[in-house]
């Protein structure tokens, strides 16, 4: 089920060994009388670089060291050690838990200094551990709280569940809501597929419009709901649909800077999880719209750009992931017209405009249809 | 110069003036009318003032006798009155001294002295006596025993308010058994007075502050509801003796100067200056005298002789002026005159006179022909006429040199001509004072601006005046004698002006006796139980001819209470200033300092800083300027304020580094506490997970804290003390190991046995990042007690 493009990461016992190895590093540092420390790639925009082999953006060479030299660093390391211990135990017992549960669980730790202040702290720490151990969060048996997104379209899959394997057809066997992507999409096996391409849609409203209008049926399309910034499971599934089934991936979002970032994370990988870009990002994904050019061409109803929109656009102009001519042109145009538009703005030309005119024309133009 | 100065330490103090003008009324009435000025305006304040005067008096008496003061103050509450007892361990007083000390209200040997002293008015103790007598009607009791005397003398006296003389009503000898004196010698004064203790706070402040600023004194206060016992600071000796100095030329006022001129034995102004003033020698006196001459007579303008191409033939003019002398002799005389004039390039009238007189003498010597006074006068007139023919041309040169190149020629020429026009018959000998010259230049400039439509600004005018004045000749006229100057207020004023215009070396500081920074600190240390002390003594500076020294001290933290604003103690000549804090220059200066820079809180960035601190400021001077006669507040004098600020800032700098260090040590301690908590837990966790044996985190901890880590290792009777310095700077530590058995083979260490225990001591210097090993051997059953000194506790880890 794994594809050649996807690098292997340790799983099961290997994952546990990686954690123990981290603990051993700390042990050795103590034993030598050194200041315990942990090195991580710097997780910022300035430290991601393009990996030519895999066409995705990954962390560069810059690292930050977290050491017990400062109170802050010492606390972080203590929390790391507690978390490592917890994860190793979880793997031993073959249990799983959610990120939120980890946060609450820390409250039960005897050492107060090891407890997390908020969930973002524990989430980030788990990501840190992914990076230093090379083990994916899913293989620590850590799940995100929110459920993955939904898929609708001509695809039959087999999913391993706690209650045995289930075979599901993502049109025939599901309701109007579609098939729910599990937290670890690597438990899915693709059976057969009649789809010609994948359409990832940012908003629930637009997804429902496409489904209601029968777009998936008419064009043999897999409609994947991103639901804002897509969860890892969603991105992983998209990558697998592309890599394993050879489906073209298209992304349809609002026409504002935040939506471009959604496309960016599907296509190039996110800054936060650049260590997993090779596993999550689909560089071949194509951007459908809404493009600033569409705002002009279709004279869409718009909102003016706010200050934060302008800042975000300007920051994207400097973002290494948006350095193509296409993006520079579109972003500069948007700054120029000072407007943004939602996907639903297409409804100003009728409810069917998007499925009858906009998407077919655009997909044709892009060579997908 | 501040006007109140003349009221202090000078000849005409207000009190004396008032007393003089009120001779016909009784001294009692005078006191009654003026008691607010003397600090006796209320019962509460009267008591504080009486204590203050008596204590100052006692301190002076003992110090003058070279005895370290031991002052006892007691206040007893009677049925109708309070009784004040002040006792010193001074030399005692004789009966003959009594009228002097307790008699005349204004008696005081220091009244005119230019020397730092506590009381400058000599009004002190007698005012307290008078206050006592007026309020209680009881006589003052005095007991005194001189050194090595077996008996003491006891007097009761009142001041006769008509004659202003003390009247002794009781006089007896007391044997040692009958004596109330606490010591073997000294004076005890006991007086009843109407008073109350509402000013208890001020009274306590006064005594405590006096103790701070007189670290060499023991002072004890007993009052109905409290006591203060201030001990002498260890090693504090008597203040250095001060020397009286003569007045400084920059420190006198006109009235004083006129009086001095009238009293002096010198006839010449120069002699007067040199004999009556400090820091005036021949050279300075000459400078002042020249400046005086300039102000009194003015200077003479110098003119260029006519040039070769000029129409006037100077020599012919001289010859013409001479009549009835031989032609050859006349020619030779004329040549001498003209040569001398031309050699001089520019000459003034008096210089022409001198040249002509010289030429006449020379001619007479060589030829025997006499050129008498009349002839000389004619010649001088002739030469002068030639010289002053074209004044404008000469003035043009000066104006041109003094003004900027941008001034156009017409303006310069116009200005020069107008200035030149001012000279003539109205200015005989072309002699003017600088003020007159300036007037001419300004008037000419105004006119030039009007006529030429040009600008001649103030700077340009000043430059022209300066250029002309500098080139003018000082006149040779004799100066008036001192008696004449004394008799003419204007002339005296010119002299005063001249004295102020000349730079004179600062007055000597032997007349001052600062406490010195180490004793300021000692004084604070013994009176305040604080965590930090600093003090600063500035170098002497001068204000109006009076030298002064400012000292400041700060005590911080410890047992000091944080009552919002810090406690500010003000002192003048070792006397605490208790009242009128808000009016005092000291307070204002301290308020204006940005204390946040020194790590003290200061809401709003101005005002008294906050925190558990005491700030003291001492101004010592031959003449401290006060805002009023009651001497409660130092007047705002720029020079003194500047020095106060510098002294306080100097002391505050040390406070800042102390607070910084304390803050960083505190942070360090907090960090260490947290890390000490975290590291062992972390180590335990990783040992558990890896299944390895338990870890020791001390090394890691020491490294994190840049600490000095001292560890003991014992291997078969061989003890190794490892001193690891994980910091960046060298650590000089004293390591002492107390061992219960006799050690051997100690490396470089000292071994001392005491009561069955052995002290093994090393003093290694370990540079940053290094480790020193100290070794010795002991029998197996020995016990150890290790102590390490030389490193702050927060930076030290001892295992």
């Amino acid at each position: 089920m794994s594809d050649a493009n996807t690098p292997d990461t340790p799983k099961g016992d290997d994952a546990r060994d990686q954690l123990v190895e981290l603990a051993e590093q700390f042990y050795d540092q103590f034993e030598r009388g050194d200041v315990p420390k942990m090195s991580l790639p710097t997780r910022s925009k300035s430290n991601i670089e393009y990996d030519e082999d895999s066409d995705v953006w990954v962390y560069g060479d810059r690292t930050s060291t977290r050491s017990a030299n400062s109170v802050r660093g010492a606390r972080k390391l203590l929390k790391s050690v507690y978390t490592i211990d917890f994860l190793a135990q979880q793997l031993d017992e073959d249990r799983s838990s959610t990120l939120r549960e980890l946060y609450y669980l820390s409250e039960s730790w005897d050492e107060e200094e090891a407890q997390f202040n908020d969930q973002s702290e524990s989430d980030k720490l788990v990501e840190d551990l992914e990076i230093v151990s090379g083990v994916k969060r899913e293989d620590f048996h850590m799940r995100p709280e929110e459920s993955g997104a939904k898929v609708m379209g001509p695809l039959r899959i087999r999913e391993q569940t706690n209650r045995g394997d289930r075979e599901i057809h993502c049109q025939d066997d599901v309701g109007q809501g579609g098939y729910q992507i599990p937290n670890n999409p690597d438990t899915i096996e693709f059976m057969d597929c009649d789809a010609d391409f994948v359409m990832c849609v940012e908003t629930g409203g637009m997804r429902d419009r496409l489904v209601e209008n029968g777009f998936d049926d008419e064009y043999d399309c897999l409609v994947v709901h991103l639901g804002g910034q897509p969860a890892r499971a969603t991105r992983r599934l998209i990558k697998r649909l592309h890599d394993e089934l050879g489906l073209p991936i298209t992304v349809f979002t609002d026409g504002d800077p935040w939506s471009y970032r959604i496309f960016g994370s599907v296509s190039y990988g996110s800054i936060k999880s650049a260590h997993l870009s090779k596993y999550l990002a689909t560089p071949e994904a194509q951007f459908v719209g809404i493009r600033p050019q569409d705002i002009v061409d279709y004279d869409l109803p718009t909102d003016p750009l706010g200050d934060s929109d302008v800042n975000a656009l300007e920051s994207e102009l400097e973002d290494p992931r948006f350095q193509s001519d296409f993006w520079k042109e579109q972003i500069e145009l948007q700054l120029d017209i000072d407007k943004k538009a939602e996907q639903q703005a297409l409804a100003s030309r009728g409810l069917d405009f998007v499925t009858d005119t906009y998407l077919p024309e655009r997909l044709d133009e892009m060579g997908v249809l | 110069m501040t006007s109140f100065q003349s009221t202090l330490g000078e000849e005409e103090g207000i009190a004396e003036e008032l007393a003089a003008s009120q001779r016909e009324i009784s001294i009692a009435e005078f006191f009654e009318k003026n008691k607010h000025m003397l600090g006796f305006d209320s019962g509460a304040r009267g008591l504080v003032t009486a204590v203050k005067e008596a204590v100052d008096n006692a301190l002076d008496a003992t110090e003058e006798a070279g005895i370290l003061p031991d002052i006892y103050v007691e206040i007893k509450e009677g049925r109708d009155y309070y009784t004040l007892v002040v006792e010193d361990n001074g030399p005692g007083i004789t009966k003959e001294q009594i009228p002097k000390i307790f008699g005349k209200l204004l008696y005081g040997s220091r009244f005119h002295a230019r020397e730092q002293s506590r009381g400058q008015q000599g009004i002190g103790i007698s005012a307290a006596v008078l206050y006592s007598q007026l309020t209680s009607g009881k006589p003052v009791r005095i007991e005194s025993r001189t050194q090595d005397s077996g008996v003491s003398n006891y007097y009761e006296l009142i001041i006769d308010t008509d004659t202003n003389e003390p009247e002794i009503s009781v006089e007896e000898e007391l044997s040692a058994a009958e004596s109330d004196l606490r010591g073997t010698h000294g004076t005890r004064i006991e007086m009843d007075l109407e008073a109350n203790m509402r000013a208890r706070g001020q009274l306590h402040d006064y005594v405590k502050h006096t103790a701070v600023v007189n670290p060499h004194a023991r002072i004890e206060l007993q009052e109905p509801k409290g006591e203060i016992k201030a001990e002498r600071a260890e090693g504090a000796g008597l203040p250095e003796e001060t020397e009286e100095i003569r007045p400084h030329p920059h420190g006198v006022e006109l009235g004083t100067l006129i009086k001095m001129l009238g009293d002096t034995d010198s006839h010449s102004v120069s002699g007067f200056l040199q004999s009556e003033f400090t820091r005036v020698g021949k050279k300075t006196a000459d400078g002042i005298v020249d400046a005086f001459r300039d102000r009194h007579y003015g200077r003479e303008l110098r003119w260029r002789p006519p040039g070769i191409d000029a129409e006037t033939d100077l020599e012919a003019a001289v010859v013409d002026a001479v009549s009835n002398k031989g032609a050859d002799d006349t020619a030779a005389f004329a040549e001498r005159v003209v040569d001398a004039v031309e050699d001089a390039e520019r000459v003034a009238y008096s210089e022409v006179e001198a040249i002509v007189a010289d030429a006449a003498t020379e001619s007479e010597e060589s030829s025997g022909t006499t050129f008498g006074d009349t002839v000389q006068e004619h010649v001088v007139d002739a030469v002068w006429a030639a010289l002053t023919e074209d004044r404008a041309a000469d003035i043009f040169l000066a104006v041109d040199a003094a003004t900027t190149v941008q001034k156009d020629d017409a303006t310069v020429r116009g200005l020069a001509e107008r200035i030149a026009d001012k000279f003539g018959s109205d200015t005989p000998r072309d002699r003017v004072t600088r003020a007159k010259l300036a007037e001419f230049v300004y008037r000419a400039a105004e006119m030039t601006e009007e006529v030429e439509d040009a600008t001649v600004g103030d700077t340009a005018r000043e430059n022209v005046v300066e250029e002309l004045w500098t080139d003018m000749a000082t006149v040779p006229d004799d100066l008036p004698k001192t008696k004449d100057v004394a008799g003419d207020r204007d002339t005296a004023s010119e002299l005063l002006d001249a004295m102020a215009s000349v730079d004179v070396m600062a007055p000597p500081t032997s007349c001052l006796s600062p406490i010195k920074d180490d004793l300021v600190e000692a004084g604070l240390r013994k009176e305040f139980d604080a965590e930090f002390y600093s003090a600063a003594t500035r170098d002497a500076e001068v204000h109006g001819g009076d030298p002064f020294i400012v000292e400041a001290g700060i005590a911080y933290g410890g047992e000091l209470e944080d009552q919002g604003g810090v406690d500010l103690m003000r002192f003048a000549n070792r006397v605490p200033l208790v009242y009128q804090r808000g009016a005092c220059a000291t307070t204002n200066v301290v308020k204006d300092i940005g204390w946040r820079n020194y790590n003290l809180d200061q809401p709003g960035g101005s005002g008294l800083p906050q925190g558990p601190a005491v700030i003291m400021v001492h101004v010592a001077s031959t003449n401290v300027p006060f805002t009023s006669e009651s001497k409660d507040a130092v007047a705002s004098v720029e020079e003194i304020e500047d020095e106060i600020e510098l002294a306080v800032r100097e002391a505050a700098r040390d406070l800042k580094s102390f607070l910084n260090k304390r803050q960083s040590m505190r942070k360090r301690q907090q960090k260490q506490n947290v890390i000490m908590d975290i590291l062992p837990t972390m180590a335990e966790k990783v040992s558990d997970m890896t299944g390895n044996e338990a870890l020791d985190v001390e090394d890691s901890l020491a490294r994190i804290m840049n600490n000095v880590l001292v560890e003991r290792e014992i291997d078969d009777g061989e003890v190794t003390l490892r001193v690891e310095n994980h910091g960046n700077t060298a650590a000089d530590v004293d390591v002492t190991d107390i061992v219960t058995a006799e050690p051997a083979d100690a490396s470089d260490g000292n071994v001392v046995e005491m009561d069955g225990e052995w002290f093994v001591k090393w003093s290694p210097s370990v540079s940053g990042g290094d480790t020193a090993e100290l070794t010795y051997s002991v029998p197996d059953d020995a016990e150890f007690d290790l102590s390490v000194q030389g490193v702050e506790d927060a930076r030290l880890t001892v295992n």
Side-chain angles (χ1 to χ4, degrees), chain B residues 708 723-725 729-733 764-772:
Chain B
V708 174
V723 183
E724 295 174 22
N725 182 0
T729 51
D732 294 312
V733 290
S765 175
V766 190
S767 29
D770 272 7
T771 299

Side-chain angles (χ1 to χ4, degrees), chain B residues 544-659:
Chain B
D546 283 304
F548 68 93
I549 289 178
V550 177
E551 310 178 89
I554 296 178
Y556 182 91
E559 297 296 308
L560 290 177
E561 272 175 59
D562 188 350
Q563 341 146 293
V566 303
D567 194 2
L568 176 64
M569 301 189 289
R570 303 168 291 128
F571 301 93
N573 288 347
R574 291 186 187 243
V575 176
L577 307 180
V578 178
Y579 290 93
Q580 289 191 28
R581 194 174 80 164
C584 191
T586 305
T587 314
N588 296 329
V589 170
V590 171
K591 280 181 174 173
D592 283 346
I593 291 175
W595 283 98
R596 289 169 177 177
N597 291 335
Y598 299 98
N599 298 351
L600 281 185
D601 286 340
Q602 190 180 32
S606 73
L608 277 187
Q610 306 212 322
V614 176
I615 299 174
M616 76 83 89
V617 177
H618 178 218
V619 180
S621 174
T622 48
N623 184 5
V624 177
F626 289 106
T627 56
S628 72
E629 207 59 9
S630 59
K631 301 190 194 170
D632 291 312
V634 176
S636 293
V637 173
E638 204 185 331
E639 293 91 331
I640 296 183
E641 285 179 328
D642 287 351
E643 282 296 307
I644 292 175
E645 178 171 346
L646 290 169
V648 173
R649 283 189 187 277
E650 205 175 313
R653 265 195 291 280
D654 292 344
L655 174 65
K656 179 184 184 163
S657 43
F658 163 77
L659 289 175

Side-chain angles (χ1 to χ4, degrees), chain A residues 218-248:
Chain A
E218 196 171 334
Y219 291 95
D220 286 330
C221 157
L222 274 178
V223 177
V224 178
H225 177 213
L226 297 174
Q229 193 54 254
R232 275 163 67 159
T234 312
R235 286 189 279 152
R236 174 62 186 158
L237 181 72
I238 292 169
K239 183 168 177 63
R240 287 192 59 204
L241 287 171
H242 175 268
D243 289 1
E244 294 171 33
L245 300 176
L247 297 177

Side-chain angles (χ1 to χ4, degrees), chain A residues 11 43 78 94 104 121 131 174 219 281 296 321 323-324 328 352:
Chain A
K11 298 182 184 9
R43 297 170 71 184
L78 181 70
D94 200 18
Y104 282 122
E121 190 184 10
I131 297 172
V174 298
Y219 291 95
V296 179
R321 298 175 298 170
Q323 292 305 310
S324 69
K328 278 191 183 165
D352 297 335

